[in-house]
Amino acid sequence: MEQAILTSSAILAYVLLTQYGRRRFSWRTWLPAVAGIPIAAAVYLSRAPTHRYDVYLYLVAAAAGCGFGALASATTGVERDAGAGRLYTRCGPAFAATWAVATGTRVAFIWALQDAPWFAHTAGPFLRDHQIGRSAIAAAFVLMAVIMYGLRFAVIAVRARQMPRRGALRRGGNPGPPPADRQPVSRAL
């Protein structure tokens, strides 16, 4: 239980310390996480059990990661600084709550297995009968967090790519008419 709390707290602290508030979005700031997290996950998940029901558990964890990732993406704004043209992300309490619920789910699940008799008597036999062990459960939660983080990064990268470039916006936030060579053809012709 202590390891679950420590690991979940470390993940939550890392995400909040590096993402919460208004943060500059650049490849230099994201590259360590974009490269490091998949490598660490691949090393960790390469030792994960791959029995039939373990794989089903991983699919459920991946779906949960997509759901939490979509929520984290929806609670993250992307903006361009008008003066310098730099991209920024903005995350607030809803973002923090999404990550707290995602990491808290792991702690609550492990706590319920160990200390809540009604849950242990229900889930315990299921896990035993389907031969789902601790290492598969741990790998599922790691997979959920990696997919959540990766999906959010992908959505932010797409949004950032779609933002107008520096100097493209005119006064009042209007990009203005398209250049002369891209004007629509008149219907009168």
Side-chain angles (χ1 to χ4, degrees):
M1 180 70 172
E2 292 84 21
Q3 182 184 5
I5 292 172
L6 187 62
T7 303
S8 295
S9 298
I11 290 170
L12 182 60
Y14 171 78
V15 169
L16 293 181
L17 289 172
T18 61
Q19 309 289 315
Y20 190 81
R22 187 173 190 250
R23 303 287 178 159
R24 185 162 179 220
F25 182 78
S26 69
W27 288 106
R28 193 173 357 155
T29 57
W30 279 77
L31 189 60
V34 170
I37 289 175
I39 290 170
V43 169
Y44 184 82
L45 295 174
S46 67
R47 294 176 281 182
T50 56
H51 297 55
R52 182 170 113 195
Y53 292 105
D54 296 332
V55 173
Y56 294 154
L57 177 64
Y58 302 151
L59 292 174
V60 169
C66 287
F68 280 120
L71 280 173
S73 300
T75 60
T76 301
V78 180
E79 58 193 39
R80 185 176 298 279
D81 181 64
R86 293 188 178 120
L87 289 169
Y88 289 90
T89 58
R90 184 178 299 276
C91 303
F95 171 80
T98 301
W99 272 96
V101 168
T103 55
T105 300
R106 177 178 193 232
V107 174
F109 182 78
I110 293 169
W111 169 83
L113 276 176
Q114 292 179 352
D115 297 329
W118 62 269
F119 189 78
H121 293 310
T122 304
F126 176 84
L127 295 172
R128 182 192 62 236
D129 293 346
H130 293 91
Q131 299 176 352
I132 300 173
R134 289 181 182 182
S135 56
I137 293 169
F141 279 110
V142 167
L143 182 65
M144 182 184 85
V146 167
I147 288 176
M148 181 179 173
Y149 193 88
L151 178 63
R152 179 177 169 267
F153 173 77
V155 169
I156 290 171
V158 168
R159 281 194 211 154
R161 188 90 170 133
Q162 293 174 345
M163 300 231 21
R165 298 270 183 232
R166 180 181 176 193
L169 289 181
R170 292 192 180 177
R171 215 171 187 180
N174 183 359
D181 61 334
R182 295 195 181 180
Q183 290 288 337
V185 178
S186 173
R187 293 183 190 253
L189 295 178

